[in-house]
Amino acid sequence: MADLITVDDPEDPRLRDYTGLTDVELRRKREPAEGLFIAEGEKVIRRARHAGYEMRSMLLSAKWVDVMRDVIDEVPAPVYAVSPDLAERVTGYHVHRGALASMQRRPLPTAGELLQSTRRVVIMESVNDHTNIGAIFRSAAALGMDAVLLSPDCADPLYRRSVKVSMGAVFSVPYARLEPWPKGLETVRESGFKLLALTPDEKASAIDEAAPHRLERVALMLGAEGEGLSTKALMAADEWVRIPMAHGVDSLNVGAAAAVAFYAVATGRPGA
């Protein structure tokens, strides 16, 4: 059972995991280095625990103590009860959901380990917007993708914003960094995957025509918002695919495009 500790000093060193959560540059360097990430909100905290992540501590405003009572009773980590004002002074923003937890990161698997047991893989290149990362993970989980591979410069899926937008789906879909980039794409191909590059280029095949749902193993490549996949990544692909557009629209937000493409790739749907 965790200790419930009332804290009224924003400088209390026990709250260090939660300081400056709005400082993106600081947090994205500090959190991986210290082996932690922040789960925000009751549902996300519960999903992180269900996924097997160890809790370091929890920060709760008073009205959330009863809501999280079962978690408090189950975990050995300290639980800090604070006022909403103090929570805002520590974190740098108004904590609307009233519950934060500092969780312990786990070592990532290698890309090779993930490829051994998967059939539907997402590959992201240079997607460095945390909102897009979270949205893509949520769609990947919902639409049956097995794993995600990230180029070295992609944003951290366990950054607070990514976790929040994904509603904890980052805990459901295993992921790894694919290095070196883009040479690591050869590892994917050698594992039996067909590499499909999603691009609005007119030379690309319509994704339904490519029939990715009929392929035994397929890896769908996505690029960053606006820029798309790099020339090197496109040249490494086996085939280019596009989502047909109407009304003069040339492309979709990468999160929306990912959801459409995942549906086309997924098995078990009508016609698959």
Side-chain angles (χ1 to χ4, degrees), residues 8 14 35 39 49 57-58 74 76-77 84 86 95-96 100-101 155 165 169 175 194 203 206-207 210 239 243 246:
D8 54 17
R14 293 173 294 182
R49 291 196 64 244
S57 67
M58 195 154 46
E74 290 172 3
L86 188 134
V95 185
H96 298 282
L100 295 169
V165 171
Y175 69 93
K194 185 170 183 178
K203 291 179 287 186
I207 194 165
E239 185 174 355
I243 299 170

Side-chain angles (χ1 to χ4, degrees), residues 18 59 61 82-93 95 100:
Y18 306 96
L59 184 73
S61 59
V82 299
S83 67
D85 177 67
L86 188 134
E88 183 170 354
R89 292 169 67 189
V90 171
T91 63
Y93 73 105
V95 185
L100 295 169

Side-chain angles (χ1 to χ4, degrees), residues 38-270:
I38 300 297
E40 180 177 5
E42 177 194 1
K43 289 182 180 179
V44 172
I45 292 172
R46 292 184 185 278
R47 287 172 183 169
R49 291 196 64 244
H50 182 73
Y53 286 95
E54 180 183 349
M55 185 179 291
R56 293 160 59 109
S57 67
M58 195 154 46
L59 184 73
L60 301 176
S61 59
K63 69 177 183 179
W64 284 90
V65 171
D66 287 342
V67 175
M68 303 298 292
R69 175 56 63 183
D70 59 317
V71 177
I72 294 171
D73 290 343
E74 290 172 3
V75 301
V79 178
Y80 303 114
V82 299
S83 67
D85 177 67
L86 188 134
E88 183 170 354
R89 292 169 67 189
V90 171
T91 63
Y93 73 105
H94 179 63
V95 185
H96 298 282
R97 298 177 185 270
L100 295 169
S102 175
M103 312 296 293
Q104 189 72 41
R105 289 178 183 246
R106 298 191 301 229
L108 288 181
T110 66
E113 289 169 341
L114 288 188
L115 293 171
Q116 290 177 10
S117 58
T118 53
R119 297 180 60 242
R120 298 290 183 262
V121 173
V122 186
I123 301 177
M124 291 191 238
E125 180 189 35
S126 304
V127 179
N128 49 34
D129 181 273
H130 293 101
T131 297
N132 285 335
I133 287 279
I136 292 169
F137 265 87
R138 188 173 184 181
S139 294
L143 296 169
M145 303 301 286
D146 298 323
V148 174
L149 299 179
L150 305 166
S151 69
D153 56 349
C154 278
D156 178 13
L158 292 183
Y159 180 70
R160 178 177 59 90
R161 181 65 180 167
S162 301
V163 174
K164 183 178 179 180
V165 171
S166 80
M167 290 299 293
V170 293
F171 310 137
S172 304
V173 184
Y175 69 93
R177 297 282 176 177
L178 186 58
E179 300 180 270
W181 182 268
K183 188 176 180 180
L185 292 169
E186 283 300 319
T187 302
V188 184
R189 182 180 287 108
E190 291 167 1
S191 297
F193 287 82
K194 185 170 183 178
L195 293 168
L196 300 183
L198 190 66
T199 172
D201 194 290
E202 293 180 356
K203 291 179 287 186
S205 304
I207 194 165
D208 280 348
E209 294 174 4
H213 61 290
R214 299 190 186 279
L215 296 173
E216 180 62 27
R217 307 186 95 184
V218 59
L220 183 69
M221 300 163 57
L222 305 171
E225 186 79 26
E227 299 177 359
L229 290 164
S230 67
T231 300
K232 288 184 178 180
L234 288 168
M235 296 307 296
D238 296 308
E239 185 174 355
W240 297 4
V241 295
R242 61 180 172 82
I243 299 170
M245 299 286 163
H247 302 295
V249 177
D250 61 355
S251 64
L252 296 172
N253 166 275
V254 67
V260 174
F262 295 165
Y263 181 76
V265 167
T267 57
R269 66 184 181 87

